[in-house]
Amino acid sequence: MKGASVLYISNQCISVVEAEVKRDAMKIIDCFQIPLKEGTMLNGVIIDDNELKNALSQVRERGIEDVHLIVDSAKIIAKTASVPRMKESELIQFVKDELSSVDSSPEDNVYDFSYLCPDNNIKGASKILCVSVDREFIENYLNIFKEVEIDILSIDYAINSLISLVKKLPGFIDKTYAISQIDGQNMISALFVNNEYTLTNRTRIFASRGTEEYENELIGTVSQLKQFASSSSQDKPISDLYFFGLNREEEMSVFSKMSEVAGLPAHRLPASKAIYVEKKDVQFDINDYAYCIGYFNRK
């Protein structure tokens, strides 16, 4: 992939990464975040059009004219499935059929899929991620970006970007683990069994950040994931936890408590030597831009 810009919008900020990918190396050209006023976004849904446009205008002022957009929301329906070899048109129909039981208005939805890996249990089959979302959800983004004169080149699902990311980071092979994003009062966790994506869990944290009650709610959510991974159907206990979206002070307290109470080591996402920054004035931390970096790692 030649030079490109990837943009992700959380409840708290807009994250942008400009990078170039050559072979297995990624050069970060620039990266920055634009804070969002509270109430601008809610779980991926645009609440305040004007505030979002104001923030996106700041992105445009930095010379960003087109982006690959990453979105995330509880409104996005996703599940894994195993498929034999088939044409793309047949795959889209397969995805529609696969998600029909959970789609309330399938005629109003947009469908897509992503290849995950070969299915070693079925000869010639592949595992895919099936995705569905209301068409209006996508159109709202398209309209606002058009108003601020930023072209959207593609749209990807945040969890799909995260799946791509872990394939390129060190230390995940053959491990069962959970990766959790803390976005305001939301905790979005992805469970990987034997380094294969299994499910996403979304939890609203009601206690105030920085309190003991807040940390206890995080631990409770992790305990549920731990129980699922250790169930008879999976029988692959979680060995590690990874978090991004916490500040350094929160990390020290949460990581320590996870080890003491949940019995699991907790970490930040690991850095990769294949991802580097040339300019000394560019401050980059993969934990601030996980979804954006994951997009660049797609095949």
Side-chain angles (χ1 to χ4, degrees):
M1 179 186 291
K2 295 182 180 179
S5 300
V6 179
L7 183 150
Y8 165 67
I9 306 173
S10 71
N11 288 337
Q12 298 180 298
C13 67
I14 296 173
S15 300
V16 180
V17 173
E18 295 180 77
E20 292 179 356
V21 177
K22 295 182 179 179
R23 296 183 181 177
D24 292 328
M26 181 188 308
K27 179 174 72 175
I28 306 297
I29 300 169
D30 195 11
C31 58
F32 59 91
Q33 293 181 318
I34 306 293
L36 293 174
K37 290 185 178 180
E38 186 176 354
T40 302
M41 302 290 297
L42 180 62
N43 301 329
V45 177
I46 301 167
I47 303 300
D48 191 327
D49 293 21
N50 290 328
E51 285 298 336
L52 182 58
K53 282 187 280 190
N54 289 338
L56 287 171
S57 293
Q58 296 177 53
V59 175
R60 183 66 179 81
E61 288 168 2
R62 296 186 64 145
I64 306 295
E65 299 181 356
D66 50 55
V67 297
H68 299 276
L69 174 65
I70 298 174
V71 296
D72 186 50
S73 174
K75 287 182 170 290
I76 299 173
I77 300 168
K79 65 175 293 189
T80 58
S82 183
V83 295
R85 291 191 184 94
M86 60 177 71
K87 298 177 181 177
E88 183 170 336
S89 58
E90 295 173 329
L91 270 170
I92 292 295
Q93 186 58 52
F94 174 90
V95 171
K96 289 181 180 180
D97 296 340
E98 191 72 12
L99 299 179
S100 61
S101 61
V102 287
D103 279 346
S104 57
S105 303
E107 66 279 0
D108 297 326
N109 284 18
V110 177
Y111 296 87
D112 204 354
F113 67 92
S114 174
Y115 284 104
L116 298 179
C117 60
D119 188 336
N120 295 325
N121 296 319
I122 304 174
K123 186 177 180 180
S126 299
K127 292 182 180 179
I128 64 171
L129 181 66
C130 307
V131 179
S132 170
V133 68
D134 183 80
R135 189 178 303 275
E136 184 180 1
F137 175 88
I138 297 297
E139 289 177 345
N140 287 339
Y141 280 97
L142 295 174
N143 292 336
I144 284 181
F145 274 74
K146 185 176 181 180
E147 288 188 44
V148 298
E149 298 181 342
I150 298 177
D151 293 331
I152 295 178
L153 302 177
S154 67
I155 300 177
D156 196 12
Y157 177 37
I159 298 301
N160 188 48
S161 290
L162 188 64
I163 294 169
S164 298
L165 176 65
V166 299
K167 292 177 181 178
K168 296 293 184 178
L169 294 182
F172 289 108
I173 295 176
D174 297 330
K175 286 173 65 172
T176 293
Y177 55 92
I179 299 179
S180 296
Q181 176 200 15
I182 307 301
D183 181 16
Q185 293 297 118
N186 294 332
M187 180 177 177
I188 302 100
S189 301
L191 175 64
F192 292 77
V193 176
N194 275 350
N195 204 29
E196 289 189 10
Y197 169 75
T198 302
L199 62 83
T200 298
N201 179 69
R202 299 176 184 273
T203 304
R204 174 74 175 171
I205 306 299
F206 293 97
S208 300
R209 287 184 72 157
T211 64
E212 184 177 355
E213 291 78 13
Y214 181 86
E215 294 176 355
N216 288 338
E217 286 193 55
L218 297 185
I219 290 171
T221 300
V222 167
S223 296
Q224 292 176 3
L225 287 173
K226 183 180 178 180
Q227 184 177 3
F228 175 84
S230 300
S231 67
S232 57
S233 60
Q234 299 293 329
D235 197 27
K236 300 290 183 181
I238 293 176
S239 62
D240 293 88
L241 305 171
Y242 296 87
F243 287 86
F244 63 99
L246 295 169
N247 62 44
R248 290 296 182 132
E249 185 177 344
E250 289 172 328
E251 286 177 352
M252 290 179 64
S253 180
V254 170
F255 291 3
S256 175
K257 206 161 188 178
M258 285 291 174
S259 178
E260 292 174 5
V261 180
L264 292 171
H267 324 268
R268 310 178 87 235
L269 289 173
S272 170
K273 293 181 180 179
I275 303 171
Y276 66 97
V277 180
E278 278 191 341
K279 297 180 181 179
K280 293 183 179 180
D281 60 338
V282 175
Q283 301 297 316
F284 171 75
D285 185 332
I286 194 169
N287 289 270
D288 295 329
Y289 302 97
Y291 293 134
C292 295
I293 297 302
Y295 181 91
F296 284 101
N297 282 321
R298 300 191 322 168
K299 291 184 177 180

